């Protein structure tokens, strides 16, 4: 037998080399083919800056979702932001070899093909997670050719992206039924919670839902969804990843899904921020989601009791950070009757009396007043401008604190006249409150009564100054938004004004009803009502929070009977009572520039420097920087101007004029009250301030230029009765005899109208009982009479 010769060693080497060349050529050909195919059929990935937008609360809770151009809701997320339980269930049930295969799992494909041939239907699809991503981002038909395309696209994905990027594409684009894409949107839409806090049962449910999103939607097919979920739970136990106890607890958890709807909390703020950042896909606000929903529910319930077409706005700001925690721009979003698309947080409206605290604070800084300075609430003429109070009544002499707490109009106009309208508007603008004036108009005295416009967010930002030492700030809606703060008042002025606003006596009109005051910090509050009942305001400040409430009709039509103290104030206190009580906020200590000093009325000076006989009323006043200014000099009063008058008297107590002398004459001092306050003085105060008569033979000294007037038409102490069977109100016709100018007529302190000189004035007496009728001339002269109306 002939034994064949062994091949030469060179031939074996040659064969190996040939095989290597063929292999390298094949690899090169495949690589070139893959590159050419990749170039000819490029992979189109979703652009990161396109798609839907979600606006989130500070804890990640969606406030409002804005669908993309295809109507899809998708909340951007990553694998690091979802629950590990969900990732575990997803990868175990859908693709255990995700981190090992190159995009295609041949074994899974063969298993799926054999299963389909054996059972006549698809039992296992064989698609990897990468292949599912390929189908999600680019529609591929469910055919054999489509499967080949899907495999090619999966290989492309693996070539271009990391496993983490592919997984994130699945988490954001997997279908979950209806317009929902992505696990984060599905978790909020169906379960009402973020995907980071899923239970075992919820993780299993969301892991299986994309397999058949239409048939497994938990809001429509809870039984089918439960069966599919339990299948995943069993797989997780069989794989030894979840224990039997965990499986048991998960299986008894019901499949309960909310009705599918997009969130609409802080809807107008979300819209505002989305318009400012149209390219952003994830906008994180400073809003507290739970507090926002609670306040929105409270506003909705509260507005249901108010007239139709009424809307409301609420803004709550953290004083320490200026971050907004609640933003309610409308009472009912998208309600056409209430114009729910109009954001009343930033709509320009008349502020009513809400600017008065800043006026008095500025006057304190200017050294014009103390907290107890004497002001006069009586009919006055400011160069043709004749303001009246909200209820047309007057109170005579009042302190600054009383005038602010009762929101009296005439004293505020008097103080603004001393401060100057232009300067007041400029100081407000420096503090962040820009007042809108009619075109071509200049600041005037009506500004303090609402004769301009501003926005709720500007007012709330300004009111934070009363908790932050006089420094106001713009509300912040994004954490990255820088703080914008401006000095509005000195720390001392801010402290005094807050003290006044937080110590309203119970009997003051507009004080909150019992039980409505916050159980936490004392609330410093102010209300306001614009002309014609168009705007009702209430703003409150605590150590931690500033709360602003506006109620009215967005179209500017009046709401008769709705004003700040009765309409907005109860809602403001209800919201303040809902706020967290943060004990870390400490009430500001009394500044060193503030001290309490006894002052005297009517002169206004410190009691220690005022003779006892001239101190008719002693009051404890908060003063700033040691300033104790005198009572304002009177305006347009010809009778007298000085508060303190020095007189010479003869032996019989009669007044001696400049060149007039008498034996045994003596000097006295008299503290005079403002003339317009005289009708409200007690008999003793009036007597002490009265001028002694001029001595015979002495020339007039102009101290009693005011001519006496007398009321004619009815007698002092008259008793009146309605005529029998009369349907007309009881009316008296009166005259102010001796008057030469305008005369204001008051009934029980309430303005009834005016007359000129001795012209007649008609006064209606509508109620039974005692009444005081006052005629008040411009020069301070007045006359009063008391009448009684008998009941019918």
């Amino acid at each position: 037998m002939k034994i064949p010769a062994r091949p030469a060693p060179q031939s074996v080497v040659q064969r190996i080399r040939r095989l290597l060349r063929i292999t390298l050529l094949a690899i090169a050909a495949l690589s070139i083919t893959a590159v050419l195919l990749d170039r000819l059929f490029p992979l189109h990935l979703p652009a990161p800056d396109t798609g839907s937008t979600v606006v989130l609360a500070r804890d990640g809770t969606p406030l409002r979702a804005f669908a993309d151009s295809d109507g899809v809701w998708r909340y951007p997320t990553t694998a690091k932001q979802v629950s590990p339980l969900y990732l575990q269930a997803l990868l175990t049930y859908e693709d255990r070899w995700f981190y090992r295969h190159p995009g295609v799992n041949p074994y899974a494909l063969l298993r799926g093909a054999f299963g389909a041939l054996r059972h006549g239907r698809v039992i296992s699809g064989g698609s990897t997670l990468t292949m599912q991503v390929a189908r999600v981002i680019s529609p591929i038909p469910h055919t054999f050719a489509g499967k080949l395309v899907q495999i090619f696209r999966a290989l492309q994905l693996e070539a271009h992206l990391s496993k983490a990027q592919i997984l994130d594409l699945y988490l954001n684009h997997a279908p979950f039924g209806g317009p929902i894409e992505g696990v984060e949107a599905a978790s909020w839409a169906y379960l009402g919670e973020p995907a980071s806090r899923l239970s075992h049962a919820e993780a299993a449910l969301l892991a299986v839902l994309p397999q058949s999103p239409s048939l497994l939607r938990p809001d429509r097919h809870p039984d089918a969804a439960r069966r599919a979920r339990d299948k995943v739970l069993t797989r997780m136990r069989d794989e030894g990843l979840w224990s039997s106890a965990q499986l048991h607890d998960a299986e008894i958890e019901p499949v309960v899904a909310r009705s599918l709807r997009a969130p609409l909390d802080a809807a107008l703020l979300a819209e505002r921020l989305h318009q400012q950042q149209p390219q952003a896909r994830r906008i994180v606000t400073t809003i507290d989601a739970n507090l926002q929903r609670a306040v929105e529910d409270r506003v909705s319930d509260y507005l249901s009791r108010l007239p139709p077409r009424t809307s409301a706005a609420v803004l709550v700001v953290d004083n320490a950070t200026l971050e907004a925690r609640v933003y309610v721009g409308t009472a009912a979003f998208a309600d056409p009757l209430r114009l729910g698309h109009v954001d009343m947080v930033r709509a320009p409206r008349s502020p009513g009396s809400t600017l008065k605290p800043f006026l008095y604070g500025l006057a304190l800084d200017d050294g014009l007043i103390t907290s107890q300075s004497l002001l006069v609430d009586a009919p006055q003429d400011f160069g043709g401008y004749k303001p009246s109070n909200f209820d047309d009544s007057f109170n005579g002499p009042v302190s600054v604190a009383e005038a602010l707490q009762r929101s009296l109009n005439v004293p505020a106009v008097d103080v603004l006249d001393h401060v100057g309208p232009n300067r007041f508007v400029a100081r407000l603008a420096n503090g962040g409150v820009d007042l809108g004036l009619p075109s071509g108009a200049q600041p005037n005295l009506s500004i303090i009564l609402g004769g301009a416009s501003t926005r709720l967010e500007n007012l709330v930002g300004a009111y934070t100054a009363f908790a932050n030492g006089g420094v106001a700030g713009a509300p912040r809606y994004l954490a990255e938004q820088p703080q914008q703060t401006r000095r509005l008042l000195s720390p001392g002025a801010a402290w005094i004004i807050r003290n006044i606003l937080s110590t309203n006596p119970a009997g003051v009109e507009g004080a909150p009803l019992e039980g409505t005051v916050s159980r936490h910090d004392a609330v410093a509050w102010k209300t306001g009502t614009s002309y014609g009942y168009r705007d009702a305001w209430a703003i409150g400040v605590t150590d931690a929070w500033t709360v602003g409430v506006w109620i009215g009709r967005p179209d500017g039509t009046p709401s008769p009977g709705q004003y700040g103290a009765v309409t907005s104030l109860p809602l403001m206190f209800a919201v303040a009572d809902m706020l967290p009580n943060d004990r870390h906020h400490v009430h500001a200590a009394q500044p060193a520039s503030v001290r309490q000093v006894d002052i005297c009325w009517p002169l206004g000076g410190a009691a220690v420097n005022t003779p006892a006989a001239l101190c008719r009323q002693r009051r404890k006043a908060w003063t700033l920087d040691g300033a104790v200014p005198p009572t304002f000099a009177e305006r347009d009063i010809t009778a007298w101007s000085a508060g303190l008058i020095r007189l010479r008297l003869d032996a019989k107590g009669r007044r001696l004029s400049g060149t007039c002398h008498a034996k045994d004459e003596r000097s006295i001092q008299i503290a005079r009250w403002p003339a317009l306050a005289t009708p409200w003085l007690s008999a003793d105060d009036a007597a002490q301030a009265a001028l002694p008569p001029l001595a015979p033979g002495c020339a007039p000294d102009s101290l009693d230029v005011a001519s006496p007037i007398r009321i004619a038409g009815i007698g002092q102490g008259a008793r009146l009765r309605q005529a029998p069977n009369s349907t007309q109100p009881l009316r008296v016709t009166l005259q102010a005899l001796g008057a030469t100018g305008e005369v204001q007529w008051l009934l029980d302190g309430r303005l009834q109208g005016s007359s000129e000189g001795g012209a007649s004035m008609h006064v209606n007496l509508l109620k039974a009982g005692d009444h005081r009728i006052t005629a008040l001339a411009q020069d301070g002269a007045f006359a009063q009479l008391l009448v009684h109306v008998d009941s019918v």
Side-chain angles (χ1 to χ4, degrees):
M1 180 177 177
K2 187 176 180 180
I3 300 174
R6 293 183 178 182
Q10 292 85 353
S11 61
V12 174
V13 172
Q14 290 173 350
R15 289 179 181 180
I16 293 174
R17 288 176 176 174
R18 188 180 303 114
L19 182 60
L20 287 175
R21 282 196 298 271
I22 293 172
T23 303
L24 291 174
L25 288 172
I27 293 174
L30 288 173
S31 299
I32 293 173
T33 302
V35 171
L36 288 175
L37 288 174
D38 189 54
R39 294 290 180 87
L40 291 173
F41 305 99
L43 184 65
H44 296 289
L45 297 174
D49 59 346
T50 60
S52 57
T53 296
V54 59
V55 180
L56 307 169
R58 61 200 300 257
D59 64 352
T61 302
L63 296 174
R64 184 178 180 185
F66 294 88
D68 64 11
S69 58
D70 297 324
V72 173
W73 301 339
R74 185 187 306 115
Y75 305 167
T77 191
T78 65
K80 294 180 180 180
Q81 295 172 318
V82 301
S83 168
L85 294 176
Y86 171 75
L87 295 177
Q88 200 175 34
L90 174 67
L91 295 177
T92 300
Y93 192 74
E94 290 288 349
D95 193 351
R96 286 184 297 170
W97 303 98
F98 173 71
Y99 286 105
R100 301 181 185 179
H101 61 64
V104 177
N105 188 338
Y107 171 74
L109 287 173
L110 291 174
R111 183 188 61 195
F114 283 127
L117 291 173
R118 180 178 178 183
H119 297 281
R121 59 187 177 88
V122 176
I123 299 298
S124 175
S127 294
T128 63
L129 212 60
T130 309
M131 293 172 66
Q132 294 182 46
V133 170
R135 190 182 295 279
V136 165
I137 65 175
S138 180
I140 299 173
H142 290 272
T143 62
F144 179 74
K147 180 63 72 173
L148 294 179
V149 172
Q150 187 181 13
I151 292 173
F152 168 68
R153 292 298 190 193
L155 295 174
Q156 276 186 301
L157 284 169
E158 295 282 348
H160 287 278
L161 303 177
S162 67
K163 290 289 187 180
Q165 291 173 313
I166 294 171
L167 181 57
D168 285 348
L169 281 174
Y170 180 87
L171 296 178
N172 284 284
H173 293 274
F176 282 85
I180 302 299
E181 286 188 5
V183 65
E184 187 71 16
S187 183
W188 281 109
Y190 293 122
L191 306 175
E193 62 181 0
S196 60
R197 297 204 295 261
L198 297 175
S199 66
H200 289 80
E202 293 166 339
L205 174 65
L206 294 185
V208 74
L209 185 53
Q211 280 198 352
S212 184
S214 297
L215 298 178
L216 298 179
R217 277 181 57 169
D219 61 327
R220 294 183 177 177
H221 310 288
D223 293 336
R226 182 185 184 110
R227 289 192 295 270
R229 179 203 69 180
D230 291 348
K231 185 177 179 181
V232 177
L233 291 173
T234 302
R235 173 78 64 84
M236 298 302 292
R237 182 200 58 190
D238 294 344
E239 294 291 337
L241 297 174
W242 293 353
S243 67
S244 297
Q246 290 171 329
L247 173 66
H248 177 266
D249 291 342
E251 285 181 332
I252 64 177
E253 189 173 315
V255 174
V256 179
R258 308 186 311 168
S259 59
L260 193 60
R261 66 174 182 86
L264 274 178
D265 298 321
L268 289 175
L269 173 63
E271 185 173 297
R272 174 180 180 176
L273 297 176
H274 181 44
Q275 290 173 349
Q276 293 174 356
Q277 306 178 54
Q279 301 303 319
R281 296 293 156 251
R282 185 183 179 92
I283 302 174
V284 182
T285 71
T286 61
I287 298 299
D288 184 305
N290 293 329
L291 196 57
Q292 175 74 27
R293 283 193 291 267
V295 173
E296 286 188 358
D297 290 343
R298 179 64 63 90
V299 170
S300 178
D301 177 68
Y302 189 81
L303 266 289
S304 65
R305 295 168 283 176
L306 294 180
R309 298 186 289 126
T310 302
S311 189
V314 178
L315 184 63
V316 178
V317 169
D318 183 325
N319 293 331
T321 64
L322 298 178
E323 293 180 349
R325 294 288 181 255
V326 174
Y327 187 114
V328 180
T330 179
F333 177 68
D335 181 349
L337 185 63
R338 299 183 188 271
L339 297 183
H341 64 284
V342 179
D343 186 353
M344 300 310 299
V345 168
R346 54 176 177 160
R349 306 292 292 202
S350 167
S353 296
T354 57
L355 301 180
K356 289 176 181 175
F358 306 113
L359 170 64
Y360 288 111
L362 181 56
L364 280 165
D365 276 332
D366 287 348
L368 296 175
I369 58 172
T370 69
S371 68
Q372 291 295 319
S373 289
L374 171 61
L375 301 174
V376 180
D377 182 34
Q380 295 193 47
D381 187 338
F382 299 89
Y385 180 49
K386 302 175 182 179
S388 62
N389 288 321
F390 182 76
D391 58 358
D392 284 333
S393 65
F394 295 93
N395 301 273
V398 294
S399 68
V400 164
E402 291 169 328
L404 178 55
Q405 290 169 343
R406 298 184 181 186
S407 199
L408 302 177
N409 289 343
V410 176
V413 173
D414 191 8
V415 174
L416 179 59
D417 191 40
H418 285 82
V419 170
N422 285 291
R423 184 164 176 272
F424 178 59
V425 170
R427 284 292 296 269
L428 284 179
N430 184 67
V433 182
D434 292 314
L435 296 182
L437 297 171
S439 178
Q442 294 296 318
N444 55 49
L445 296 178
S446 70
I447 284 175
I448 198 59
L449 305 185
S453 66
T454 189
R455 295 170 171 80
L456 177 61
E457 63 183 354
N458 291 346
L459 279 177
V460 170
Y463 267 78
T464 62
F466 296 118
N468 292 330
V471 177
R476 301 167 59 212
Y477 306 119
L478 303 171
E480 63 270 20
Q481 188 176 345
Q483 284 197 16
Q484 298 179 1
T485 58
R486 299 176 180 179
R487 169 67 63 185
L488 184 56
L489 299 170
S490 70
W495 189 92
I496 292 173
I497 296 300
R498 180 177 173 185
N499 179 271
I500 292 172
L501 294 178
S502 61
T503 55
N504 267 337
V508 172
E509 182 180 353
L513 301 175
E514 185 178 356
T516 64
V517 180
S518 171
R519 66 181 184 276
H520 303 318
D521 303 321
V523 182
W525 56 271
K526 183 71 184 72
T527 61
T529 307
S530 67
Y531 177 77
Y533 300 97
R534 289 172 170 81
D535 306 275
W537 302 85
I539 302 181
V541 181
T542 70
D543 292 335
W545 308 100
T546 298
V547 182
V549 173
W550 171 91
I551 294 179
R553 289 173 174 168
D555 61 3
T557 55
S559 298
Q562 304 299 321
Y563 53 95
V566 299
T567 304
S568 295
L569 187 63
L571 179 58
M572 188 278 289
F573 272 96
V575 172
D577 203 43
M578 298 167 65
L579 301 177
N581 184 21
D582 190 345
R583 297 298 183 185
H584 294 294
H585 290 82
V586 179
H587 186 67
Q590 179 180 325
S593 59
V594 175
R595 64 188 182 95
Q596 202 166 39
V597 174
D598 284 353
I599 69 167
C600 289
W601 280 12
L603 299 179
V608 68
N609 299 323
T610 304
L614 303 180
C615 190
R616 300 301 304 167
Q617 289 189 28
R618 192 182 184 104
R619 294 185 171 233
K620 289 187 177 297
W622 293 111
T623 64
L624 184 62
D625 295 325
V628 186
T631 300
F632 287 157
E634 293 202 75
R635 176 186 296 98
D636 297 331
I637 297 297
T638 58
W640 54 272
S641 58
L644 179 62
I645 298 180
R646 292 176 173 82
L647 301 174
R648 292 179 299 111
L649 304 181
D650 63 13
K652 294 184 178 181
R654 294 172 298 190
R655 188 170 84 249
L656 300 172
S657 58
T659 59
C660 192
H661 297 278
K663 187 179 180 181
D664 299 327
E665 64 182 52
R666 58 190 175 88
S667 296
I668 65 167
Q669 290 181 322
I670 296 179
R672 296 295 301 271
W673 292 81
L676 293 176
T678 309
W680 286 269
L681 296 179
S682 67
D684 185 49
D685 281 338
Q688 290 293 327
L691 289 173
L694 193 64
C698 289
D701 55 9
S702 76
L703 291 179
D704 51 1
V705 170
S707 302
I709 61 175
R710 180 171 62 84
I711 298 176
I714 192 172
Q716 180 72 251
R719 298 185 68 90
L720 306 173
R721 178 176 294 182
Q722 180 80 20
N725 302 320
S726 174
T727 60
Q728 299 299 317
L730 180 59
R731 171 182 290 187
V732 294
T733 302
L734 307 172
Q735 290 178 287
L737 301 181
T740 57
E742 185 180 39
V743 178
Q744 303 279 350
W745 293 85
L746 292 81
L747 176 64
D748 300 326
R750 189 182 297 272
L751 183 66
Q752 302 298 301
S754 62
S755 62
E756 191 70 22
S760 298
M761 175 68 189
H762 302 293
V763 177
N764 293 326
L765 302 173
L766 303 179
K767 296 180 180 180
D770 292 327
H771 297 281
R772 182 187 299 271
I773 299 174
T774 304
L776 181 60
Q778 284 185 302
D779 62 1
F782 75 97
Q784 285 184 335
L785 57 84
L786 297 176
V787 299
H788 180 85
V789 177
D790 291 334
S791 58
V792 178

